[in-house]
């Protein structure tokens, strides 16, 4: 019969950078893959409900926005270039598609980008996510 207390006391295996970033981008805890990482759209939960990791230590700042804008631009550019070079749509429609597409893509990519940035900061032990702090995160405050 399995011991129900074993998963809570067992040390978690550290995920690779790619696995941690993928978990964060999916709104899962990068450490234990428990959902959710975010309490609101861009506000992370203070602590993971499963593993107790403190997520207030992150310092993502503006980097997720840069990532979201960079990806949005690279997804929209070929579409706009192709449509503009063939003169399929009037210039006003292309401008409308560009503005609306950029807004929607950037908003859709912002939370996954922030989750991935937080996960990579955790994985690389940046901004307070050091090994000593990880050992103390399993206690209940």
């Amino acid at each position: 019969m399995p011991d129900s207390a074993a998963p809570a006391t067992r040390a978690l295996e550290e995920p690779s950078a790619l696995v941690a970033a993928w978990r964060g981008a999916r709104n899962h805890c990068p450490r234990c893959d428990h959902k959710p990482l975010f309490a609101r759209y861009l506000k992370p939960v203070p602590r993971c409900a499963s593993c107790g990791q403190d997520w207030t230590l992150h310092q993502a700042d503006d980097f997720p926005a840069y990532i979201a804008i960079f990806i949005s631009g690279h997804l929209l550019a070929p579409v706009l270039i192709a449509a503009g070079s063939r003169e399929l749509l009037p210039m006003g429609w292309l401008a409308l598609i560009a503005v609306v597409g950029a807004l929607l893509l950037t908003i859709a990519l912002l939370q996954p980008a922030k989750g991935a940035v937080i996960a990579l900061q955790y994985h690389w032990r940046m901004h307070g996510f050091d090994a000593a702090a990880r050992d103390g995160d399993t206690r209940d405050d």
Side-chain angles (χ1 to χ4, degrees):
M1 186 166 176
D3 185 11
S4 62
T9 58
R10 178 176 50 130
L12 290 171
E13 182 179 318
E14 290 297 321
S16 67
L18 185 60
V19 170
W22 178 245
R23 287 177 180 176
R26 290 182 340 198
N27 190 22
H28 290 223
C29 174
R31 185 175 185 198
C32 69
D33 205 23
H34 184 265
K35 193 173 181 179
L37 176 61
F38 292 99
R40 292 190 301 241
Y41 180 61
L42 291 176
K43 183 175 174 77
V45 293
R47 287 193 174 272
C48 176
S50 179
C51 68
Q53 173 64 44
D54 182 11
W55 294 115
T56 60
L57 302 171
H58 79 87
Q59 294 180 10
D61 299 330
D62 292 336
F63 190 49
Y66 297 144
I67 293 171
I69 292 168
F70 182 79
I71 294 171
S72 297
H74 280 79
L75 292 175
L76 276 176
V79 173
L80 295 173
I81 290 170
S85 66
R86 294 194 181 110
E87 298 179 12
L88 297 173
L89 297 171
M91 192 57 71
W93 281 102
L94 284 175
L96 182 66
I97 290 170
V99 170
V100 172
L103 284 172
L104 292 176
L105 275 173
T106 304
I107 290 170
L109 292 171
L110 196 53
Q111 187 184 44
K114 185 167 184 175
V117 167
I118 291 171
L120 290 174
Q121 286 180 354
Y122 166 77
H123 177 76
W124 290 326
R125 296 173 172 86
M126 298 170 66
H127 309 297
F129 291 122
D130 59 351
R134 290 183 189 189
D135 296 336
D137 283 334
T138 57
R139 69 181 187 281
D140 291 326
D141 287 337

